[in-house]
Amino acid sequence: MTDTDIHVALERATEHLSPPPDLLERVRAGGRRRVVRRRAVLFGGLGAAVAAAGSPLALGRGRGGEVADPVTRGDLAGDRQFLQEARAAWSRGADAFETRSRPHVLWAGTTPAGPAALISQRATVETAPQDLLGWVEPVAGGGLRGTGSVRLMPPGKVEPGAILIGERRDVLVVADLGQPVDLSADYSFDEDGKVRRTYSRVSSGADWVFVRRVAPQAENVRIAMIRAGLGEGIPLDNFGDVVHEKTNQVPELLDRRLPGATGPWEMPGGYDDLFGYHAQTGLGAWQISGATPDGRQFTVRTLPLEDTVRAFWFLGGPEPHYAGLMRDGVVRVRLPGQQGVVVAVLNATLRYRTRGAWIPVSDVALLPDAATELEVRPRGGGDPRTVPLP
């Protein structure tokens, strides 16, 4: 499933909802679990989807067979005042739903950023009973608040989830439900342009939740998590809060055909960060195809990931070759065999030169191999800039 497929699915999944217009559902591939946000929807890697079946809560039975409160875990489970404050903070954020019971605090514990809680509550959604599952986090200066999203679960079920809390989002809290988790602290790109990660095993112990400090994630979320042995990612439940300043715009595919093009080569799989969490920042994804001076077909593709853009070239066949990172919004990829330099800039006019005068070209072009510099002049005004060619 591509980013465009997810975008379309999100729109279709929310057409029939009656809550406020900014209340959207996150539809995950491979399962029926839904995430409802009260702000903008942002989504992480496709690997963050987990199975909808979930795990049963530690539920007791009250009089008449009704479901009693689940057992509360964590070192603050016996702190009645905190539990009351956590329920109150949760209720302030759950007023878009027709709730049917008191909020259940599943876990309440201390963290380096302050106390936090995982909460479940029975509600009626589209006439059917479901459980709302979400978190309460500490706020700067004291107090608690509900995070920016809840998940809709089958009654009596719960799934793993996580939040990043603290002013710098440097405290990770994960409800792993007793299942070990493989955690990656950061990622890089290998020589082929693929995402490279190293994972280490972590486990929560008796409380089903683990807490640890991580590098600050407020700018870009660099971590990734997998349920050990299951190949399933763990959703970051407050992802929308963590990256709320991101534009959250699915990248537009900028498809350009130069003379001689018969069709672009497609990127194969394996270049995504399957278990990471990344906002869609709206950087354009270029797909430029054409023919080289010796008559071979070429394609240049770019893959945005957060604020970075990887560039790849194909020449005469479907195998991609990594051309490095495009850091300044200017695509410039030199093809092998002295076949020229592919350049592209959105909303700008271009000129290039070899040793002499500047020569104007289109905003997408295959330049002669002798070209050494490119002048970029933004449309609508702005100072021109000169960038070297590889």
Side-chain angles (χ1 to χ4, degrees), residues 24-329:
L24 302 179
E25 292 180 328
R26 175 190 285 176
V27 179
R28 296 281 191 174
R32 294 168 297 178
R33 174 184 51 74
R34 294 173 290 175
V35 173
V36 181
R37 297 199 181 278
R38 292 178 295 278
R39 298 183 182 91
V41 173
L42 297 97
F43 41 87
L46 298 181
V50 295
S55 301
L57 298 173
L59 295 175
R61 290 285 175 179
R63 295 180 180 178
E66 71 275 11
V67 177
D69 284 0
V71 174
T72 301
R73 298 173 179 264
D75 64 304
L76 296 179
D79 188 331
R80 293 187 177 182
Q81 181 177 348
F82 174 73
L83 298 184
Q84 182 177 357
E85 292 173 354
R87 292 190 186 99
W90 166 270
S91 297
R92 288 193 294 270
D95 54 3
F97 299 94
E98 180 187 344
T99 55
R100 301 174 56 184
S101 66
R102 185 178 69 158
H104 304 320
V105 180
L106 306 178
W107 174 86
T110 54
T111 81
L118 176 64
I119 294 180
S120 177
Q121 185 175 20
R122 186 64 46 83
T124 299
V125 181
E126 301 169 10
T127 73
Q130 297 198 51
D131 283 352
L132 310 178
L133 181 65
W135 298 83
V136 167
E137 66 174 338
V139 297
L144 299 169
R145 69 182 174 196
T147 60
S149 65
V150 296
R151 280 185 282 161
L152 304 183
M153 303 294 303
K157 300 290 184 179
V158 66
E159 291 176 356
I163 53 173
L164 283 164
I165 61 177
E167 200 168 332
R168 301 194 302 166
R169 302 296 183 182
D170 58 354
V171 174
L172 176 65
V173 184
V174 183
D176 63 11
L177 309 188
Q179 175 71 35
V181 171
D182 292 333
L183 172 66
S184 170
D186 206 348
Y187 68 90
S188 60
F189 302 117
D190 66 15
E191 63 276 3
D192 295 322
K194 296 181 178 181
V195 176
R196 172 187 289 164
R197 283 192 177 276
T198 300
Y199 288 89
S200 59
R201 185 66 50 87
V202 291
S203 181
S204 64
D207 285 338
W208 288 4
V209 173
F210 73 82
V211 178
R212 67 170 50 198
R213 281 198 177 276
V214 294
Q217 308 284 309
E219 296 297 327
N220 288 328
V221 180
R222 310 283 299 186
I223 63 170
M225 290 178 287
I226 308 174
R227 296 182 70 186
L230 299 180
E232 299 171 348
I234 295 179
L236 189 59
D237 290 329
N238 67 335
F239 181 69
D241 287 344
V242 174
V243 296
H244 67 280
E245 294 182 355
K246 299 289 186 179
T247 58
N248 189 35
Q249 178 181 345
V250 175
E252 177 186 2
L253 181 61
L254 305 171
D255 190 2
R256 301 292 189 270
R257 307 294 174 93
L258 297 177
T262 60
W265 300 106
E266 297 292 338
M267 286 296 299
Y271 289 84
D272 297 323
D273 186 21
L274 289 180
F275 302 106
Y277 314 94
H278 302 286
Q280 304 294 333
T281 58
L283 295 174
W286 287 95
Q287 178 176 270
I288 305 165
S289 54
T292 58
D294 65 5
R296 287 179 290 171
Q297 291 292 304
F298 74 85
T299 296
V300 168
R301 291 290 305 266
T302 66
L303 297 180
L305 185 67
E306 290 284 355
D307 299 324
T308 63
V309 179
R310 289 167 289 167
F312 299 83
W313 57 266
F314 303 73
L315 182 59
E319 181 181 0
H321 300 270
Y322 185 41
L325 295 177
M326 305 288 100
R327 301 182 182 276
D328 52 12

